[in-house]
């Protein structure tokens, strides 16, 4: 039977929930996760390709660096940050500029970038206040007149996932195939393929209702909304820093 999302009933502090059900999970599944993340989404690719030559930007929650290479000719410069050490290691193997960083405390000065993107990250923060702080950090590091693109999972999804419309905070399963598992004593990638059982991890998500992401950016302030919409089961907003 296919694993189904569960309502979040965890009695944990928000930071502990994120550590156990986001950060630790992505460190465990990083390689398999990366294998499934290779094609840029159309809205994000368009946004990046329309940036002026010479733009400097940040990918906040960059994962495996999929978007760091969209303008691979080098006519813009991007730096990535991610909370997962394992995903940052994958970026480093691809020769991308990337570092481990907490999205609530980015290691950049105010107004350092012409643009920033944050793709499918904000929904992993486990309280309204922490989501607000995360958006405020994105806008803090963008200069006045620069832009930010933010994506977050939608509650109202049209794809294969179906969620209870009355439940926005959920635990979404990730099934790590047994063939991807390795023990501490294995010396070859194929050592553990036989007899290994699949392992299920659960990731915390806050599913955004229609309009909620835009309202979040407007509540944080210091920006004007240029575009908002729905793409790949996510709501997205493009905002200009003021």
């Amino acid at each position: 039977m296919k694993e189904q999302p569960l309502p979040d009933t965890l009695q944990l502090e928000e930071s502990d929930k994120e550590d156990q059900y986001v950060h630790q999970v992505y460190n465990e599944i990083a390689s398999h996760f990366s294998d499934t993340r290779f094609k840029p989404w159309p809205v994000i690719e368009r946004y990046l390709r329309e940036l002026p030559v010479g733009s400097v930007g940040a990918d906040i929650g960059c994962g495996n660096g999929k978007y760091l290479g969209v303008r691979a000719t080098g006519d813009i410069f991007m730096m990535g940050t991610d909370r997962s050490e394992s995903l940052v290691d994958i970026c480093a193997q691809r020769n991308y500029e990337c570092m481990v960083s907490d999205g609530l405390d980015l290691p950049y000065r105010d107004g350092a970038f012409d643009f920033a993107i944050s793709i499918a990250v904000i929904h992993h923060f486990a309280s309204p206040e922490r989501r607000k702080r995360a958006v405020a950090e994105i806008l803090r590091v963008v200069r006045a007149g620069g832009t930010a693109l933010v994506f977050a999972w939608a509650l109202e999804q049209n794809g294969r996932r179906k969620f209870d419309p009355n439940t926005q905070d959920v635990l979404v399963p990730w099934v790590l195939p047994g063939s991807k598992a390795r023990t501490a004593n294995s010396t070859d990638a194929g050592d553990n393929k036989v007899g290994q059982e699949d392992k299920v991890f659960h990731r915390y998500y806050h599913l955004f209702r229609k309009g909620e992401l835009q309202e979040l950016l407007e509540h944080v302030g210091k920006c004007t909304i240029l575009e908002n919409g729905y793409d790949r089961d996510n709501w997205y907003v493009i905002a200009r820093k003021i």
Side-chain angles (χ1 to χ4, degrees):
M1 178 181 292
K2 183 178 176 61
E3 295 286 338
Q4 297 298 317
L6 303 172
D8 171 29
T9 59
L10 298 170
Q11 300 300 310
L12 294 171
E13 293 291 332
E14 288 88 355
S15 59
D16 292 334
K17 186 179 298 185
E18 292 164 15
D19 184 55
Q20 296 178 39
Y21 289 88
V22 181
H23 308 152
Q24 292 182 28
V25 172
Y26 279 102
N27 274 335
E28 289 283 346
I29 70 172
S31 178
H32 185 227
F33 176 82
S34 179
D35 289 345
T36 69
R37 301 298 190 271
F38 49 87
K39 186 176 181 180
W41 292 348
V43 170
I44 306 162
E45 184 171 22
R46 168 176 60 84
Y47 171 84
L48 292 173
R49 294 200 180 281
E50 290 177 351
L51 291 165
V53 171
S55 296
V56 178
D59 185 348
I60 299 165
C62 64
N64 68 351
K66 176 172 68 171
Y67 293 108
L68 296 175
V70 168
R71 294 273 288 264
T73 55
D75 58 352
I76 69 171
F77 179 75
M78 292 182 69
M79 300 179 67
T81 67
D82 202 281
R83 185 60 177 76
S84 167
E85 296 91 341
S86 298
L87 287 171
V88 169
D89 286 344
I90 291 172
C91 288
Q93 293 165 15
R94 298 175 176 181
N95 295 317
Y96 294 138
E97 293 285 344
C98 190
M99 67 180 79
V100 177
S101 173
D102 190 328
L104 300 181
D105 187 20
L106 296 173
Y108 305 126
R109 61 178 173 80
D110 295 356
F113 298 106
D114 300 308
F115 70 94
I117 64 173
S118 180
I119 310 304
V121 175
I122 297 297
H123 51 227
H124 286 311
F125 289 96
S127 73
E129 180 57 33
R130 292 172 74 81
R131 292 188 285 274
K132 180 181 175 182
R133 285 174 56 194
V135 167
E137 271 294 272
I138 295 168
L139 292 173
R140 180 185 66 78
V141 302
V142 175
R143 64 170 175 81
T147 60
L149 169 62
V150 180
F151 268 63
W153 271 27
L155 177 63
E156 309 89 343
Q157 296 195 10
N158 296 327
R160 57 186 174 82
R161 304 184 198 91
K162 301 300 178 185
F163 294 103
D164 180 347
N166 299 310
T167 305
Q168 288 185 259
D169 296 286
V170 296
L171 301 175
V172 178
W174 182 279
V175 180
L176 185 66
S179 61
K180 295 289 183 179
R182 297 184 65 177
T183 66
N185 296 323
S186 74
T187 57
D188 182 81
D191 282 353
N192 298 316
K193 291 187 176 181
V194 178
Q196 287 288 325
E197 294 183 357
D198 294 350
K199 187 171 182 179
V200 179
F201 297 87
H202 285 89
R203 300 165 293 159
Y204 169 83
Y205 282 79
H206 172 78
L207 305 173
F208 280 74
R209 294 188 184 277
K210 183 178 181 180
E212 184 180 354
L213 184 60
Q214 178 174 337
E215 291 171 1
L216 176 59
L217 271 80
E218 290 173 338
H219 184 64
V220 170
K222 301 180 181 179
C223 67
T224 57
I225 306 301
L226 300 178
E227 179 180 330
N228 64 86
Y230 179 90
D231 183 50
R232 299 300 191 273
D233 290 335
N234 283 245
W235 296 113
Y236 74 87
V237 173
I238 301 175
R240 186 179 304 282
K241 174 80 171 286
I242 58 177

